[in-house]
């Protein structure tokens, strides 16, 4: 029987990716990826389209398992030293600990309240008071409560794009995960909504471990503690964000962050 995913150590190297190779069918897209993500850091993954950033992100909560041809070729991803691809790991429990926010905001065609508590309902929570407390807590964390507290039972699709994305963040944090994965969370938003999301991420710093895929290098500079540069399925360099953009060690990294590599 699969065990619940409940790692408990306090190792600073919270997420460890070790010689990780990944493929879709015969097409290999990640090659010997080695990365450490520190607890409660914000780490940005940057690089050209198709370089493997989103594949790695989606491997950390195994959402790629839903793609029939997707497979781990070799290597490991560990969270608190637990290999998340071990047969003993319960994937549902893993995904409760590792929340995900996608590029395109995707609220369900339900009320704001039902979106906020969706994960809890799936987990079997039925107590009205518990659901109401969780909805308020998660909407406050997503800096959305004051804007929607009087319209909780209206359709979520009536919110603006930026509000819908913050609702998706609320939905993700309602389960109180320790890790939040974000796949270009601002790509579909205007500059004002983007600034709100970046402010929100800054406010949540220290409460979650963030891994964020972004094509916006200025955004990476603004929000990330560390940045990893991917190219053709490989990690070329990972360092403190200011080092990556101000003093890169690898020529490819320098070419990319200065706009000379596309």
């Amino acid at each position: 029987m699969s065990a619940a995913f409940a790692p408990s150590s306090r190792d600073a190297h919270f997420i460890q990716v070790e010689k990780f190779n990944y493929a879709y069918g015969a097409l290999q897209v990640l090659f010997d990826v080695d990365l450490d993500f520190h607890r409660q850091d914000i780490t940005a993954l940057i690089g050209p389209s198709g370089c493997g950033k989103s594949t790695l992100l989606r491997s950390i909560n195994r959402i790629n398992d839903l793609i029939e041809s997707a497979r781990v070729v070799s290597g490991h991803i560990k969270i608190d030293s637990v290999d998340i691809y071990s047969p003993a790991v319960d994937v549902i429990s893993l995904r409760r600990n590792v929340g995900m926010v996608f590029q395109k905001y995707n609220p369900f065609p339900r009320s704001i309240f039902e979106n906020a508590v969706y994960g809890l309902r799936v987990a079997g929570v039925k107590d009205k008071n518990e659901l109401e407390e969780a909805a308020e807590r998660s909407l406050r964390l997503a800096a959305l409560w004051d804007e929607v507290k009087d319209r909780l039972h209206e359709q979520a699709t009536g919110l603006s794009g930026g509000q819908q994305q913050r609702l998706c963040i609320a939905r993700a944090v309602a389960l109180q995960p320790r890790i939040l994965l974000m796949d270009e969370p601002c790509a579909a938003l205007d500059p004002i909504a983007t600034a709100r999301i970046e402010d929100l991420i800054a406010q949540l710093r220290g409460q979650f471990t963030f891994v964020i895929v972004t094509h916006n290098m200025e955004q990476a500079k603004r929000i990330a503690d560390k940045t990893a540069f991917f190219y053709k399925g490989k990690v070329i360099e990972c360092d403190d964000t200011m080092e990556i953009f101000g003093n890169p060690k690898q020529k490819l990294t320098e070419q990319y962050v200065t706009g000379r590599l596309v």
Side-chain angles (χ1 to χ4, degrees):
M1 180 180 294
S2 295
F5 182 79
S8 59
S9 82
R10 299 301 299 175
D11 186 359
H13 298 286
F14 187 34
I15 308 170
Q16 295 169 292
V17 183
E18 302 172 344
K19 300 296 180 188
F20 193 67
N21 293 271
Y22 203 85
Y24 298 106
L27 177 64
Q28 187 165 340
V29 293
L30 292 176
F31 300 86
D32 287 332
V33 172
D34 279 311
L35 276 177
D36 285 339
F37 300 92
H38 291 200
R39 189 183 304 277
Q40 298 182 346
D41 269 0
I42 300 173
T43 303
L45 309 183
I46 65 170
S49 297
C51 67
K53 307 181 300 297
S54 292
T55 292
L56 178 65
L57 194 77
R58 290 163 177 258
S59 298
I60 296 173
N61 71 345
R62 292 183 54 176
I63 199 168
N64 267 352
D65 289 12
L66 302 173
I67 301 173
E68 186 174 350
S69 64
R71 61 190 177 92
V72 177
V73 176
S74 60
H76 306 278
I77 296 179
K78 298 178 181 179
I79 299 178
D80 269 348
S81 302
V82 175
D83 187 340
I84 67 169
Y85 283 90
S86 165
V89 167
D90 178 71
V91 178
I92 294 173
S93 181
L94 168 69
R95 291 177 186 152
R96 289 194 65 172
N97 279 272
V98 187
M100 183 109 188
V101 177
F102 296 92
Q103 174 180 350
K104 176 63 178 172
Y105 40 86
N106 59 340
F108 300 127
R110 304 181 181 196
S111 70
I112 295 167
F113 177 85
E114 287 300 329
N115 268 271
V117 301
Y118 178 81
L120 293 169
R121 287 206 188 276
V122 170
V125 177
K126 297 179 180 178
D127 182 79
K128 180 181 178 182
N129 289 334
E130 184 176 353
L131 291 171
E132 289 177 347
E133 289 172 5
E136 180 174 350
R137 180 179 64 248
S138 62
L139 289 166
R140 285 190 183 280
L141 277 173
L144 192 57
W145 174 253
D146 289 339
E147 297 170 41
V148 302
K149 62 184 178 182
D150 297 322
R151 25 186 317 214
L152 292 176
H153 300 291
E154 294 180 13
Q155 284 291 301
T157 51
L159 297 173
S160 70
Q163 288 174 322
Q164 288 186 43
Q165 188 65 302
R166 280 185 283 147
L167 179 59
C168 292
I169 293 171
R171 189 174 67 198
V173 302
L175 288 169
Q176 299 181 290
R178 294 178 300 155
I179 299 165
L180 272 181
L181 310 176
M182 293 185 160
D183 194 357
E184 297 191 66
C186 302
L189 302 178
D190 62 48
I192 293 174
T194 293
R196 292 293 300 273
I197 297 294
E198 290 182 7
D199 287 345
L200 172 58
I201 292 168
Q203 291 168 24
L204 296 176
R205 184 188 298 274
Q207 298 186 53
F208 304 95
T209 300
F210 284 92
V211 185
I212 301 175
V213 168
T214 180
H215 279 105
N216 185 332
M217 288 188 282
E218 292 301 317
Q219 181 175 80
K221 284 193 270 188
R222 286 192 295 266
I223 66 174
D225 301 297
K226 293 187 176 294
T227 296
F229 168 54
F230 280 68
Y231 189 68
K232 294 185 177 180
K234 299 179 180 180
V235 176
I236 305 302
E237 188 170 355
C238 181
D239 206 337
D240 290 343
T241 295
M242 290 302 101
E243 286 294 302
I244 288 290
F245 289 100
N247 187 33
K249 307 298 187 296
Q250 301 298 321
K251 184 176 181 180
L252 271 175
T253 310
E254 181 183 11
Q255 290 176 330
Y256 185 73
V257 301
T258 58
R260 292 182 287 124
L261 177 70
V262 294

